[in-house]
Amino acid sequence: NRDKQSDFLTQIQAEAAAAKPIEPVYVDFDKDMSKATAKSDIEVLYKKNDKNTLFSLSFNIEFGRSHNKNLGIATNYFDYLGTAEKTADQINAELFALACDASVSCSNDKMYISVSGLSENMEAALAIIEDKIANVKGDDAILANYKADLFRSRENAKTNQRGCYSMLTSYVQYGKNNPANNQLSNKEIQALTSDELLQGLKDAVNYTQKVIYYGPMEINQVVDVVNKLHNVPEKLGKVEKVKYQYQEVKEPKIVIAPYNAKQIYMISYSNTGEKYDPAKTAIVNMYNEYFGGGMNSIVFQEMREARGLAYSASARYSSPREANDPYFFTTFIATQNDKMMDAIGAFDEIINNIPQSEGAFNIAKENILAGIRTARYKGSRVISYYLQLKELGLDKDPRKEIFEATQQFTLQDVIKFQQEVIKDRSYVIGILGSEKDLDMKALNPEKYGKVERVSLEDIFGY
């Protein structure tokens, strides 16, 4: 009942309308953060902490698992190790006594050396982790135990429905070779040696990197500490970022992965290759909030509340994370096996003939405006936001333009966007479920495309 409201809601809205709205605060990167350069031309991104005596320092190195498949295993193995002089427990005890933490981790395209804690002990804590990286000592018994744990966790991952769905999603969006399944086989892991793993970790430190600092030190002091303690060569190496390309969808297809459960998890994915345009951000946000956002959205109310097809359902026109990436549209639903075709048909109906509700639109619009009014980027989030926007080729906070554009939108702007951008697309539908419990005959290949059957090994990469 989108256009009805209780007396209680009417009262609350009247009180809210009488209050003076909070004004947005936008980030000015020239004023809200600083930059400097440390040795080896390492860029330092700095934000002063004037609230307390805590700090966080991170070296973000442009080298990750996509450059060396061993690196994720190496950084995890590293946690358990010490040096010739100290055990892992002794190193951890020293850091604890300093009220600091230190770690090494990695993602697909980066490795991170992170230190945080009490500012007066930053130098001592950084010296400890730098010494450990330089002088870490392998332990074959620990490595054997770690491998055994890793093999068990890999098998357990294939029994987790949400984990399997996540891997299927990556397969649907990128294809056979994707960032999620870029993994070593069990045989390759079994063959790994301590020397091979730890040398790969040490080599990764020698690539292009940034320093991210939030704390009470002055920026010149941070640069001095980095110059004094960070072990890097005079000239850092460079590697090309490994890019996985989102698949364009030119014709429909079904991808089915096996999972024995009473519910299927299903994704519909569409990508026409449209590239990032910052001028479209406001209307994309408006459409997403109205159609596929929270409990007030069309998708949630139609698929769960009105039709009873799912406990969980959503849809989103996803914006790129990097300037050269495309937009793509996805839907998700977890529904009973015998409701598969009902769910596909219902999604098809509301995507192509979007229900119109002024009440739901007004709430969605106010949600976006309230989010911008109340959002505050403080502390290290300023630098994270800067880096996020830089990936999109932006050098200033775009929320002012989004806020102003959103105030002018009407429901017809959303309908126009739906008609021009979303309607009548082709989809790859990914289904995680057991074929014997599904109405496969109803998946007409002329309408939904050919069926591709993949194994869990295909989508996990091992």
Side-chain angles (χ1 to χ4, degrees):
N1 300 319
R2 297 189 190 96
D3 298 312
K4 294 182 179 181
Q5 62 186 40
S6 68
D7 293 339
F8 177 68
L9 175 59
T10 303
Q11 176 190 340
I12 294 297
Q13 287 179 327
E15 293 175 4
K20 184 179 178 180
I22 297 170
E23 291 303 314
V25 176
Y26 305 113
V27 181
D28 183 339
F29 294 112
D30 291 332
K31 296 179 179 178
D32 295 334
M33 58 174 280
S34 301
K35 301 177 184 178
T37 303
K39 66 179 182 181
S40 306
D41 289 325
I42 297 174
E43 185 179 27
V44 178
L45 302 179
Y46 169 93
K47 173 68 176 174
K48 181 71 174 286
N49 176 8
D50 53 11
K51 304 294 183 184
N52 54 49
T53 59
L54 300 179
F55 81 97
S56 62
L57 174 72
S58 175
F59 298 89
N60 293 9
I61 302 163
E62 305 292 331
F63 189 94
R65 283 193 303 264
S66 58
H67 303 101
N68 180 353
K69 288 185 181 182
N70 300 348
L71 196 58
I73 295 173
T75 55
N76 289 332
Y77 173 47
F78 177 82
D79 286 345
Y80 298 101
L81 301 176
T83 65
E85 304 295 327
K86 304 172 187 175
T87 66
D89 286 343
Q90 288 172 325
I91 291 172
N92 291 335
E94 286 185 2
L95 289 168
F96 182 80
L98 295 170
C100 290
D101 289 315
S103 64
V104 177
S105 60
C106 75
S107 63
N108 261 323
D109 56 4
K110 289 183 177 62
M111 188 173 88
Y112 308 92
I113 302 172
S114 304
V115 187
S116 62
L118 199 59
S119 181
E120 65 188 64
N121 295 327
M122 186 179 87
E123 282 197 49
L126 180 58
I128 289 171
I129 192 67
E130 291 281 355
D131 177 67
K132 182 176 176 180
I133 293 170
N135 299 299
V136 62
K137 182 180 178 183
D139 186 309
D140 289 341
I142 290 176
L143 181 57
N145 286 334
Y146 174 73
K147 288 178 180 179
D149 288 344
L150 182 57
F151 294 144
R152 279 193 293 271
S153 68
R154 283 181 154 212
E155 287 307 307
N156 290 340
K158 293 180 180 180
T159 67
N160 181 283
Q161 192 172 18
R162 283 211 172 265
C164 291
Y165 174 75
S166 176
M167 300 302 288
L168 175 61
T169 294
S170 190
Y171 187 97
V172 166
Q173 293 177 347
Y174 292 96
K176 185 175 181 180
N177 298 314
N178 61 71
N181 71 6
N182 178 40
Q183 309 216 34
L184 297 171
S185 69
N186 286 352
K187 185 176 180 180
E188 289 172 319
I189 292 173
Q190 191 62 61
L192 289 173
T193 65
S194 284
D195 288 345
E196 183 180 4
L197 288 169
L198 298 178
Q199 190 58 53
L201 186 150
K202 292 178 182 180
D203 290 343
V205 178
N206 298 326
Y207 286 92
T208 306
Q209 53 198 265
K210 289 181 174 66
V211 170
I212 313 299
Y213 175 85
Y214 173 64
M217 277 187 178
E218 298 301 325
I219 191 168
N220 61 305
Q221 294 176 299
V222 176
V223 171
D224 288 344
V225 171
V226 171
N227 289 343
K228 176 183 176 183
L229 296 174
H230 190 42
N231 295 319
V232 286
E234 184 176 342
K235 186 172 180 59
L236 295 171
K238 292 185 178 180
V239 288
E240 290 294 323
K241 186 172 184 177
V242 177
K243 282 291 294 179
Y244 293 91
Q245 300 298 328
Y246 287 99
Q247 294 190 109
E248 284 192 40
V249 180
K250 297 182 178 179
E251 57 184 24
K253 184 172 72 170
I254 304 286
V255 179
I256 294 183
Y259 194 89
N260 188 23
K262 299 298 182 184
Q263 271 197 339
I264 58 167
Y265 280 28
M266 184 162 59
I267 178 177
S268 295
Y269 164 78
S270 178
N271 171 11
T272 62
E274 184 185 10
K275 298 299 182 185
Y276 176 65
D277 179 357
K280 294 182 179 179
T281 302
I283 188 60
V284 168
N285 290 352
M286 188 71 255
Y287 170 80
N288 284 333
E289 187 68 28
Y290 174 74
F291 184 70
M295 296 178 71
N296 181 67
S297 71
I298 297 298
V299 167
F300 189 89
Q301 292 185 351
E302 289 289 333
M303 303 299 285
R304 172 178 150 153
E305 302 300 308
R307 307 178 192 229
L309 289 172
Y311 180 77
S312 179
S314 60
R316 185 168 188 80
Y317 187 66
S318 293
S319 296
R321 294 182 179 180
E322 298 180 18
N324 293 323
D325 286 342
Y327 293 92
F328 58 88
F329 182 72
T330 56
T331 70
F332 163 74
I333 191 167
T335 189
Q336 291 170 221
N337 294 334
D338 60 353
K339 292 183 177 179
M340 177 181 71
M341 294 310 301
D342 292 335
I344 292 174
F347 255 132
D348 185 63
E349 180 183 340
I350 65 173
I351 289 169
N352 293 310
N353 301 289
I354 184 171
Q356 300 183 34
S357 167
E358 285 289 347
F361 169 78
N362 289 332
I363 293 173
K365 181 175 177 177
E366 185 54 39
N367 283 346
I368 293 175
L369 295 175
I372 296 175
R373 287 183 187 278
T374 58
R376 297 292 184 268
Y377 286 89
K378 296 185 175 182
S380 60
R381 287 190 67 204
V382 172
I383 301 177
S384 299
Y385 190 40
Y386 168 81
L387 293 172
Q388 175 189 334
L389 294 178
K390 192 173 181 181
E391 293 284 3
L392 292 169
L394 303 178
D395 57 9
K396 67 175 184 177
D397 188 348
R399 292 177 301 143
K400 186 175 188 294
E401 288 77 10
I402 295 169
F403 186 79
E404 292 172 352
T406 301
Q407 293 180 79
Q408 306 305 315
F409 286 144
T410 66
L411 177 56
Q412 290 311 305
D413 292 313
V414 173
I415 302 307
K416 181 183 178 184
F417 179 84
Q418 178 266 338
Q419 294 283 323
E420 294 177 350
V421 178
I422 305 297
K423 191 174 182 179
D424 297 330
R425 286 170 163 256
S426 293
Y427 291 89
V428 176
I429 299 176
I431 302 171
L432 182 71
S434 176
E435 278 195 55
K436 64 181 176 60
D437 298 324
L438 304 177
D439 185 1
M440 297 300 296
K441 292 181 180 179
L443 289 172
N444 184 343
E446 292 185 6
K447 182 175 183 179
Y448 300 110
K450 295 180 180 179
V451 176
E452 177 187 354
R453 293 170 174 83
V454 296
S455 65
L456 293 184
E457 183 176 344
D458 291 329
I459 63 175
F460 276 87
Y462 58 83

